[in-house]
Amino acid sequence: MSTILLAGGAGYIGSHTAVELLESGYDVIIADNYSNSCPEVINRVEEITGKSVKAYEVDIKDKEKVDALFSENKIDAVIHFAGLKAVGESVAMPVAYYRNNIDTTLTLLECMEKHGVKNIIFSSSATVYGEENPVPYTEEMKRGTCTNPYGWTKVMMEQILEDAAKADKDLSVVLLRYFNPIGAHVSGKIGEDPQGIPNNLMPYVAQVAVGRREKLTIFGRDYDTPDGTCRRDYIHVTDLAKGHVKAIDYVFGAKGVEIFNLGTGTPYSVTEIVETFENVNNIKINHVYGERRPGDLAESYANADKALKVLGWKTEKTLADMCRDTWNWQKNNPNGYRK
Ligand code: NAD
Ligand code: UD1
């Protein structure tokens, strides 16, 4: 059975992917420095799956330690989730973002080369389509202009991985461009656990629901969209995680670089998210309308045809599922993984 190294695997998307890989029969190793997660995640993944997970507390920038990890284990493929991802913070601390996100990628590629590991899946983002491309986004569009350093790190890492694959014809690279992952595992045992004030919509809504925040501010209602609020392609994190299992199955038989959008193809507005959350969970979300947030695009959503055609993957969960599962996680874990 193949062994998959999940770099940054204790995080939100990594932990859900670990569950789906384990349930599909893969062995999983998680390597994380817990800069934006905590070791309790490993216990929860084991509880859900009834399987054991080998976990290393390691900074993926630390080449000696990552090299030792590759020496100790026979790794068949790497999924690279390890990155800093807060857009506003990346504007304030660009150097830290470039250092962490680029350096982790280089270290993984160097260790893979040394140990003959030829398969890597990378967590990219719809943000690489930038400002120029029209929606819905398709994979062959050129990468666009990003509005923040976080986005640029994703553009640069895609380029680095493409160049590495050009130079090594045996390398198989899959770039997964995520849209807006929300929701939580149906068990309510793992979910999104942002530190401090959430930047993203759904964790903020969930924290208003549980009483940790007073009210949601909806950023702008004068966009050129049906109800004036921005529209995004929200995807259930379990659907996203299943997309990784399909991508792993694919990466083993492939060479070169393949890019896949992982989204539903259907956009929802901020107002629709708030209303669906309220209706499904029978709970009021205090909210006000405020100014636009700098850097926001009116609309972002995928054309998800390629993932269906090539990987045989499509999303199965509804927006109602996403809202219900988010609330189930939040109400059972009001302070996230902390007691
Ligand atoms: P997350 O912060 O929950 O997970 C990232 C994990 O990486 C965390 O556990 C963190 O501790 C770890 N990490 C960061 N730097 C590290 C380092 N140097 N060494 C070891 N571990 C390190 O984020 P997530 O939402 O699970 O996102 C996973 C990946 O997907 C990230 O690369 C992110 O940029 C990308 N992505 C996320 C979204 C989203 O909306 N959540 C959208 C598009 C792309
Ligand atoms: C953001 C990032 C994107 C990143 C993704 C995951 C920007 C410009 N984009 O996407 O690069 O990959 O997060 O980390 O930051 N909203 C509110 N009130 C809030 C929070 C959000 O109205 O308190 C609105 C936003 O204006 C947006 C929508 O909700 O229209 C979704 O926001 P968010 O969850 O932050 O995701 P994105 O902006 O799509």
Side-chain angles (χ1 to χ4, degrees), residues 9-208:
Y12 173 47
I13 301 168
S15 56
H16 288 80
T17 302
V19 167
E20 298 306 320
L21 284 170
L22 288 162
E23 290 185 342
S24 302
Y26 288 101
D27 288 332
V28 157
I29 299 172
I30 288 179
D32 204 299
N33 65 356
Y34 303 118
S35 58
N36 196 38
S37 54
C38 58
E40 172 60 16
V41 172
I42 310 297
N43 302 330
R44 304 281 181 100
V45 169
E46 290 182 334
E47 257 177 56
I48 293 170
T49 59
K51 298 190 177 170
S52 69
V53 175
K54 201 166 179 183
Y56 287 81
E57 180 167 356
V58 59
D59 189 324
I60 304 292
K61 299 193 294 300
D62 186 335
K63 197 169 161 191
E64 251 174 59
K65 288 208 177 123
V66 177
D67 183 45
L69 190 162
F70 275 80
S71 297
E72 279 167 36
N73 300 281
K74 195 198 154 295
I75 291 162
D76 298 292
V78 173
I79 309 184
H80 180 18
F81 299 100
L84 300 175
K85 62 161 186 175
V87 170
E89 190 181 69
S90 80
V91 176
M93 304 165 53
V95 177
Y97 269 65
Y98 287 113
R99 167 64 78 192
N100 192 71
N101 292 1
I102 309 286
D103 216 348
T104 50
T105 307
L106 296 176
T107 302
L108 286 170
L109 282 171
E110 285 169 348
C111 291
M112 285 172 62
E113 185 173 30
K114 179 168 170 198
H115 294 272
V117 179
K118 295 295 177 189
N119 305 296
I120 181 165
I121 292 175
F122 174 63
S123 299
S124 192
S125 167
T127 199
V128 303
Y129 289 107
E131 299 173 313
E132 298 87 350
N133 287 303
V135 286
Y137 299 133
T138 50
E139 289 86 347
E140 78 281 358
M141 288 173 174
K142 274 196 177 346
R143 289 184 282 262
T145 305
C146 293
T147 55
N148 56 76
Y150 163 77
W152 284 119
T153 69
K154 293 293 178 197
V155 168
M156 290 175 190
M157 291 184 285
E158 286 199 354
Q159 185 69 51
I160 289 167
L161 286 156
E162 285 178 357
D163 289 341
K166 254 185 229 150
D168 178 353
K169 300 289 178 221
D170 291 328
L171 204 58
S172 177
V173 174
V174 171
L175 307 176
L176 296 179
R177 293 181 178 159
Y178 309 156
F179 281 70
N180 287 58
I182 59 172
H185 190 263
V186 68
S187 65
K189 288 182 193 291
I190 54 173
E192 189 166 13
D193 181 22
Q195 322 282 307
I197 303 171
N199 302 297
N200 297 116
L201 177 64
M202 196 48 127
Y204 205 104
V205 167
Q207 291 196 8
V208 172

